[in-house]
């Protein structure tokens, strides 16, 4: 059947993702129209400077700097500008005008998601954001729709391709952190300012979105415990390899089973057994495990970055929005009504691997073990090596049994103050067991 109705699409942003979305809409418009049931017309593309050079050539007549006029004339608004403002204002204006919104803006949703979803509920608009987490991997829609009737216990995985590329290059190729970051920048994995990726901000924003969906509770970026990979060194990677582990930056969202209950949402570098499926996630790929009570464990794997890959997720949302627009009725609102409590990091239980430089003297290991015992932390493994024949320094690698984060943190603080410990070399959590 030939689609009879035309839906006007406004595209805000023409960066690496936006330009690919525009290209695919123009090149595959007829096919996308057949899938959605309406003719999809790209009405215009909002840019800062129509004359700026771009990697993808776009029709000059579609480029505009007039956001208000473009949004008011649209049925579907695609926001791919990034950042908070003016993206927030444009998205709210689109919702008030009655348009459906498709966005890939994780920072906006992790910070102002509640405001945006409430505005959409008031007018019956839909907000779709599959591209906000893990690029081409379909993870939002399964959590939002397919698993809505299940009870999700845990989400656990790699959601930042840039840091995964860096850590993987250090592990497999023996590169230093600086060299791996340089290559990542050259290949486009890292921006000129790499803080968003290296310090865990990007992964924490995605974790907030995933947790909000999984636990039907509003979780903002500020609620996420965040640690980045800035402190991970080549020596730490080598130590992990010798112990049978690989280091990955993980996002973890889980229901706590202790009497207080609630949920924990956190991002940090952790040790994963080399036999674990996440250990085999190489390059810029992402992988997310979802553990649900009825469905059991599910794994989602694929490209976690890239303009055309992310554009795939955006266009999937566009087709869905077009179908909803034709069918009529109100958009499907977010379910964030459980209001589960958000637990501080100190309440989680985990395992640590602690590497210490100590004086090479009799009784040092017993002193260290005594400190752990006094803090209620049990030693699972201990390996001591001497730096050299004439060295007065030894290295101890201690693996603990599971304990509360607070007890483990207090233990490390006491070890750092001990007279027999010269330096706490590294502290890493062990996950995935």
């Amino acid at each position: 059947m030939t689609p009879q109705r035309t839906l006007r699409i406004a595209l805000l942003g023409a960066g690496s993702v936006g330009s690919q979305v525009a290209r695919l809409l123009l090149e595959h418009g007829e096919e996308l129209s057949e899938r959605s049931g309406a003719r999809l017309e790209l009405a215009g593309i909002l840019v800062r400077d129509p004359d700026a050079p771009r990697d993808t050539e776009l029709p000059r007549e579609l480029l505009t700097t007039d956001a208000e006029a473009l949004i008011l004339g649209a049925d579907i608004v695609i926001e791919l500008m990034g950042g908070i403002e003016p993206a927030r204002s444009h998205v709210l204006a689109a919702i008030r005008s009655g348009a459906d919104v498709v966005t890939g803006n994780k920072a906006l949703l992790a910070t102002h998601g509640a405001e945006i979803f409430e505005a959409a509920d008031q007018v019956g608009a839909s907000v779709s954001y599959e591209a906000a987490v893990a690029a081409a991997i379909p993870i939002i829609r399964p959590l939002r729709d397919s698993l809505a009737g299940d009870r999700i216990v845990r989400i656990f995985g790699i959601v930042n391709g840039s840091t995964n590329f860096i850590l993987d290059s250090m592990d497999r190729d023996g590169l230093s952190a600086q060299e791996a970051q340089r290559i990542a920048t050259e290949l486009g994995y890292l921006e000129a300012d790499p803080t968003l990726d290296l310090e865990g901000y990007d992964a924490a924003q995605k974790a907030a979105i995933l947790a909000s969906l999984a636990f039907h509770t509003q979780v903002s970026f500020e609620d996420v415990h965040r640690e980045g990979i800035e402190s991970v060194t080549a020596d730490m990677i080598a130590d992990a390899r010798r112990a049978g582990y690989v280091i990955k930056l993980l996002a973890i969202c889980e229901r706590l089973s202790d009497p207080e209950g609630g949920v924990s949402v956190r991002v940090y570098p952790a040790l994963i057994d080399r036999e674990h499926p996440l250990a085999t996630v190489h390059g810029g790929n992402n992988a997310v495990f979802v553990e649900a009570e009825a469905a059991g464990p599910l794994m989602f794997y694929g490209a976690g970055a890239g303009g055309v890959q992310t554009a795939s997720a955006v266009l999937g949302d566009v087709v869905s929005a077009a179908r909803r627009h034709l069918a009529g009725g109100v958009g499907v609102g977010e379910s964030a009504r459980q209001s589960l409590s958000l637990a501080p990091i100190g309440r989680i239980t985990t395992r640590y691997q602690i590497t210490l430089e100590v004086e090479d003297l009799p009784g040092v290991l017993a002193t260290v073990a005594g400190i752990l015992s006094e803090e209620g932390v049990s030693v699972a493994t201990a390996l001591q090596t001497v730096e050299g024949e004439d060295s007065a320094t030894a290295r101890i690698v201690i693996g603990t049994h599971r304990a509360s984060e607070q007890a483990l943190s207090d233990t490390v603080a006491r070890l750092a103050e001990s007279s027999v410990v010269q330096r706490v070399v590294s502290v890493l959590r062990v996950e995935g067991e």
Side-chain angles (χ1 to χ4, degrees), residues 154-160 164 203 207 210 248-253 266-268 272 276 278 281 286-290 300:
R154 195 168 194 246
I155 297 176
F156 164 76
I158 299 165
V159 296
N160 181 270
N164 196 62
L210 293 175
K248 298 289 187 181
L249 182 68
L250 299 179
I252 303 171
C253 317
R266 55 198 192 266
V267 167
Y268 46 58
I272 293 286
H276 193 282
L278 284 181
V281 178
N286 286 185
V288 180
F289 280 90
V290 177
F300 300 82

Side-chain angles (χ1 to χ4, degrees), residues 313-394:
V314 171
L315 290 175
D317 280 345
V318 169
V319 170
S320 294
R323 290 171 178 167
R324 191 209 71 79
H325 224 81
L326 292 179
V330 299
V332 178
E334 292 303 294
S335 174
R337 300 179 178 88
Q338 281 196 262
S339 300
L340 298 175
S341 62
L342 294 164
I345 187 69
R347 276 186 49 209
I348 72 165
T349 60
T350 187
R351 285 183 54 209
Y352 270 18
Q353 181 172 286
I354 307 166
T355 302
L356 307 171
E357 283 184 359
V358 300
E359 296 181 18
D360 186 21
L361 297 171
V364 167
L365 185 56
T367 300
V368 169
I371 292 174
L372 272 76
S373 177
E374 290 168 11
E375 294 294 334
V377 176
S378 175
V379 176
T381 61
L383 174 66
Q384 180 172 336
T385 58
V386 179
E387 296 296 317
E389 284 188 17
D390 300 325
S391 175
T393 300

Side-chain angles (χ1 to χ4, degrees), residues 114-401:
E115 177 188 17
I116 289 168
F117 296 131
E118 182 180 354
D121 284 345
Q122 289 176 354
V123 300
S126 71
V127 178
S128 304
Y129 49 98
E130 186 66 69
V133 179
I137 303 174
I139 184 67
I140 298 298
R141 200 170 285 115
L143 289 174
R144 193 181 194 182
D145 300 326
S146 306
L147 295 171
D150 209 332
R151 189 173 191 266
I152 293 175
V153 177
R154 195 168 194 246
I155 297 176
F156 164 76
I158 299 165
V159 296
N160 181 270
S162 305
T163 52
N164 196 62
F165 177 87
I166 291 167
L167 294 173
D168 189 49
S169 298
M170 293 172 70
D171 178 67
R172 293 206 293 169
D173 302 327
L175 301 182
S176 67
Q178 293 75 19
E179 181 66 10
Q181 289 175 28
R182 182 188 64 78
I183 295 173
T185 301
E186 290 177 355
L187 294 176
Y189 285 111
L190 283 178
E191 301 294 339
D193 178 8
T195 302
L196 189 67
D197 294 313
L198 298 181
E199 296 187 8
Y201 288 97
D202 175 86
Q205 290 165 353
K206 294 171 181 176
I209 294 169
L210 293 175
S212 297
L213 283 170
F215 306 128
H216 310 283
T217 294
Q218 186 58 49
V219 179
S220 69
F221 168 72
E222 290 76 15
D223 298 319
V224 182
H225 175 85
R226 174 190 55 81
E227 299 173 28
I229 67 166
E230 319 94 290
S231 62
V232 177
T233 65
D235 285 344
M236 292 168 65
I237 295 284
D239 287 343
R241 174 178 283 278
R242 282 190 290 270
Y245 294 109
V246 63
I247 300 176
K248 298 289 187 181
L249 182 68
L250 299 179
I252 303 171
C253 317
E254 65 179 348
R255 292 178 185 263
L256 299 184
S257 57
D258 62 20
E260 294 181 69
V263 297
S264 167
V265 188
R266 55 198 192 266
V267 167
Y268 46 58
L271 295 168
I272 293 286
D273 190 285
R274 300 191 80 85
E275 298 300 316
H276 193 282
L278 284 181
T280 64
V281 178
H282 301 305
N285 288 321
N286 286 185
V288 180
F289 280 90
V290 177
E291 299 171 14
E293 284 191 354
L298 306 169
M299 181 176 177
F300 300 82
Y301 170 86
V308 70
Q309 291 88 347
T310 308
S312 168
V314 171
L315 290 175
D317 280 345
V318 169
V319 170
S320 294
R323 290 171 178 167
R324 191 209 71 79
H325 224 81
L326 292 179
V330 299
V332 178
E334 292 303 294
S335 174
R337 300 179 178 88
Q338 281 196 262
S339 300
L340 298 175
S341 62
L342 294 164
I345 187 69
R347 276 186 49 209
I348 72 165
T349 60
T350 187
R351 285 183 54 209
Y352 270 18
Q353 181 172 286
I354 307 166
T355 302
L356 307 171
E357 283 184 359
V358 300
E359 296 181 18
D360 186 21
L361 297 171
V364 167
L365 185 56
T367 300
V368 169
I371 292 174
L372 272 76
S373 177
E374 290 168 11
E375 294 294 334
V377 176
S378 175
V379 176
T381 61
L383 174 66
Q384 180 172 336
T385 58
V386 179
E387 296 296 317
E389 284 188 17
D390 300 325
S391 175
T393 300
R395 176 174 286 210
I396 300 177
V397 180
I398 299 169
T400 75
H401 285 294

